[in-house]
Amino acid sequence: MPDTAFWAVCLVVVPLFFALICFVRSDQAAVLGLLAAGLNALAALAMTVFFVRSGPLRYAIGGWQAPLGINFSIDGLSVLLVAMTAVTGLSVSMYARGYFSLRIGSAGEINRHGHQRAFFWPVWLLLWGALNGLFLSADLFNVYVTLEIIGLSAVVLTALSGKPAARLAAMRYLLVSLLGSCSYLFGVALLYRSYGILDMAALARLISPAPLMWASLALLTTGLLLKTALFPLHFWLPPAHANALAPVSAILSGLVVKASFYLMLRLWGDIFAQVLPFAAYVLLGVLGCGAVLWGAVQALLQKRLKMLIAYSTVAQLGYLFIALPLIRLDPGSSAWEAVILLIMSHACAKSAMFMAAGSIFLKAGHDRIDDLAGIKEVLPISSFAFVLAGVSLMGFPPSGGFVGKWLLLGVSLAGGEWWWGVMLVIGSLLAAGYVYRVASRLLVFKVTFFSRRQSIPPVMEWSAVLLALLALLLGLLAGYPLGLLEAGSPFPLHACREVMP
Amino acid sequence: MNTLFLYTMSGLALFAIGLHGLIRSSHLLRKILAANLMSSGVFLIMIVGACGTDQVMIDPVPHAMVLTGIVVSVSTTAVALVLVCLVQETTNRALLWQKRKRGQGGRTDA
Amino acid sequence: MMDVMGFFDIVLALALPWLGWRLLASSDLFRAVVLFISLGLLMSLTWVRLQAPDVALAEAAIGAGLTGALFLSALRRLERLSESERRLEHAGKREEDETIPPEKRRRAKPVAYVLSLFLLVVFVLLLGWSLGQTPGAKGGLGPAVAGQMGQSGVQSQVTAVLLNFRGYDTLLEMMVLFLAALGVWSLTRVRQTQQGEVPGPVLATLVRLLVPLMIIVAGYLVWIGSSRAGGAFQGGAVLAAAGVLLLLANVTVVRQVPAGLLRWALVLGPLLFLLTAVACMGGGGNLLEYPGQSAGVWILFIESATAVSIGVTLAALYAGGRPPAPSAPEKDNEEGPGSGVDKGGKA
């Protein structure tokens, strides 16, 4: 009898299974990959439906209950993030199908692009399965293994482009990822040493201030911040995200950095929340402010479109960290809702933006912003997608970004800490600046735009525009996903704990 | 108990030396060696934790975690080493920070 | 007797960081790698001292042996690359790249160097203090594991944790290994440089003698894993060592393995593991919940399949790239034998 847990298991098993099959039958990789993406989206939908019906749930893998075995913990937060991954992943997959067949069709080098396609699918499916596994898992060490899969596959995907710059970026990414996971593992080891337990919910009940706990928290946080690329640890992100292939950039910026931030939310919003002083949250918030300013200013200075988008990711990640002290301030749950809306709308908008930029790159043959004037004449839909996604990043109504920032603004004013609000507004203005800088070029009227003859497949343009549209509509439809959060959330803090045996 | 603490400190020192090497050494191969040292240090601390005192029996869970960790680290090392060779092949040196500006100078790919 | 062992412990605990330090400080990369391998061997001695025989076996075979072989072959390839580079440029002006900058920088910025060292020492002392301060949780999950051993289907606690209680971790770990092979294959292709190279008579004899023996040992390790130290990873690592030996000896059979078969061999373990995990749900159980009393059989089945895949995957990682179109991998011949024999001895 299929239920929430059955679909949750499917969400992990199906992508892994297809990744293995894709590797063996690499001639059919694209078809199998799309099939897996479709099945995954279906499973995510089914899980959401069942979740709404029956509420949060714990699932004991192997039949072994929490302290001994590994459990899935399916609550509002994980369901929302799995759904976000499914939607973004599905449209990136469709885009990737068009992207690779276009490149294989147009270039003489069938070998190179065919090779890229043959390896893109299995690695991406592994990444997808690991993302789902991470969002569903309730076990700190299991999370480490999924983090390793995510990090390693992100590196492999980055290097897939084969360009020297991409290889260097991948190397740096790999080293950062190694350092991050080693630090995380150390933290887990120390936690296990002091509490003898790996289950998150059980741990949350045991946590008490002690020197070893602080050490492990510091190590866990450092590892995750490295992987989330919080300013000033962001140095590896822009080259990696900008030099990867377009669908890979969309995956990296939209989904991969969210994985480690999700863990930050679990640790700082739930497990360690009782013992952490407010000052620690403020510190992260201040770093977030730094990210917003630095990322946006760097984005304004970039000459290349993909670099600009990558720096914009640095800035947008800053908002998520600004939300952390506000979560702590907020007696209700609107800061939580805001941060989840921001995560979701950034995933959609940023993936759409990278996808549109990829189409623009392929059509124009370059991505120098200054020379892109008038490209809307040849690529109207992609340019439109870019601008739509930009609206969400700037936080204009009715986008998801707007609602998220509006909620945060409300919390910061109500809590008497208005300066966070000021930072949000400044960040939005700067974002408007860099989006305007690109949009003003893209949308300028110019009769002749010299472009390559190849035509971009409609699926590439439409998948980007639909995703951007979704980011925009997320603001209008915010009630539905947030209702899901209410239906079975770990928040307000510690509500879910009773489920534990 | 004292011996165990000594091993713990030894693991910590390995971690710190690895961290230092990962950040400070310039050759990529040495960086990867350093990362391996770091994880060895963590493994050591985990296994020492599993020993506990004489009355308590040995905890097999850290042993399983370390086995997993060893396999994970050989996997990442293999990928990293191939990447190092590729970096050397394309840029003629196995260094992370190239003389020209930080790898951002090159063309981005679509 | 106790005193001797205690003294041995002290020497070991001091030698580990000292070797680590020497290894990173040495200007010669080859020396650093050799030191790394000896550090790995000392680590596995340490595991024996800390009563972790499973980890000791895995460390010796994978941590020291295979990782060391990987480093040696990468070093060899780097040297070959820089040699051809040098020949192209007619001048050895690149030489300084590898050795001098670190020293130079250290002399140039002693303040930064001392500062980072100082920070690290503070870090170690703080962590050491906090570790000493907090008493560990007594036994961790040990009692829980011991309590459920009856239902685990095996006698070895570590195997029970790896394949039953926390089997899902191991499943994902197999995916990591598979991903590594995918990554290496996606990045590069094995070059056919020494096609005609014939192994010396010693190596050929060694291979003929050792490889069958190693396969038997691997099978034994998988079998014994249910009750004592050993299991899929250790067995797989020994298989991998056999594979590495075959690669070193440049045996034609290895080169003629069809690419399709190789791919299936890589996938076999994780795929069967995954399918078994799902099949467990057929009878109404959870994922990986072995039905009834059959856990032992399932675990042995999974272990055998994964051991084969682990062996093939690790050997493929050593080969360092996807097989070239016409034939299968073959690799370096100069640097490797030492490490290969090393492994043979351990097996």
Side-chain angles (χ1 to χ4, degrees), chain A residues 99 103 141 144-145 148 152 155-156 159 161 163-165 167-168 170-172 174-175 178-179 182 185-186 189-190 192-193 198 219 235 242-246 304 306-307 311 358 361-362 365 367, chain B residues 8 12 15 19 22 28 31-32 35 38-39 42-43 45-46 48-49 59 61-62 65 68-69 72 75-76 79-80 83-84 86-87 90-91 95-98 100 102-104 106-110:
Chain A
Y99 179 86
R103 294 198 96 184
F141 184 74
Y144 162 75
V145 184
E148 280 287 354
L152 196 56
V155 168
V156 171
S161 127
K163 294 268 159 59
R167 285 174 175 173
L168 252 183
M171 188 72 234
R172 196 169 307 139
L174 179 56
L175 287 174
L178 270 175
L179 183 56
C182 204
L185 180 65
F186 200 175
L190 293 187
Y192 183 78
R193 196 183 165 117
L198 290 163
L219 286 164
F235 57 93
N243 287 306
L245 300 171
R304 290 177 186 277
K306 291 191 75 178
M307 277 310 268
Y311 269 108
F361 193 119
L362 283 184
D367 69 341
Chain B
T8 308
L12 269 179
F15 182 85
L19 183 61
L22 184 59
L28 282 173
K31 276 184 190 283
I32 298 167
M38 275 175 74
S39 45
V42 176
F43 298 157
I45 291 170
M46 287 169 94
V48 171
D59 180 5
V61 175
M65 296 201 293
T68 306
V72 166
S75 309
T76 37
V79 175
L83 260 178
V84 171
L86 288 180
V87 166
T90 45
T91 63
L95 303 171
L96 200 52
W97 303 103
Q98 308 289 319
R100 66 199 174 80
R102 309 194 165 190
Q104 297 166 9
R107 270 171 57 100
T108 54
D109 196 4

Side-chain angles (χ1 to χ4, degrees), chain A residues 218 322 432:
Chain A
I322 291 182

Side-chain angles (χ1 to χ4, degrees), chain A residues 19-91:
Chain A
L20 295 169
I21 298 297
C22 261
F23 175 66
V24 183
R25 300 298 311 271
S26 55
D27 46 335
Q28 302 290 325
V31 180
L32 289 168
L34 269 185
L35 182 63
L39 286 177
N40 235 348
L42 272 182
L45 183 68
M47 186 179 87
T48 316
V49 169
F50 277 99
F51 174 77
V52 170
R53 232 181 267 170
S54 56
L57 171 88
R58 284 181 76 91
Y59 177 77
I61 296 171
W64 302 108
Q65 288 297 333
L68 181 59
I70 300 166
N71 285 13
F72 277 165
S73 145
I74 306 164
D75 58 19
L77 182 59
S78 13
V79 169
L80 280 178
L81 288 182
V82 164
M84 169 196 91
T85 312
V87 171
T88 316
L90 183 62
S91 53

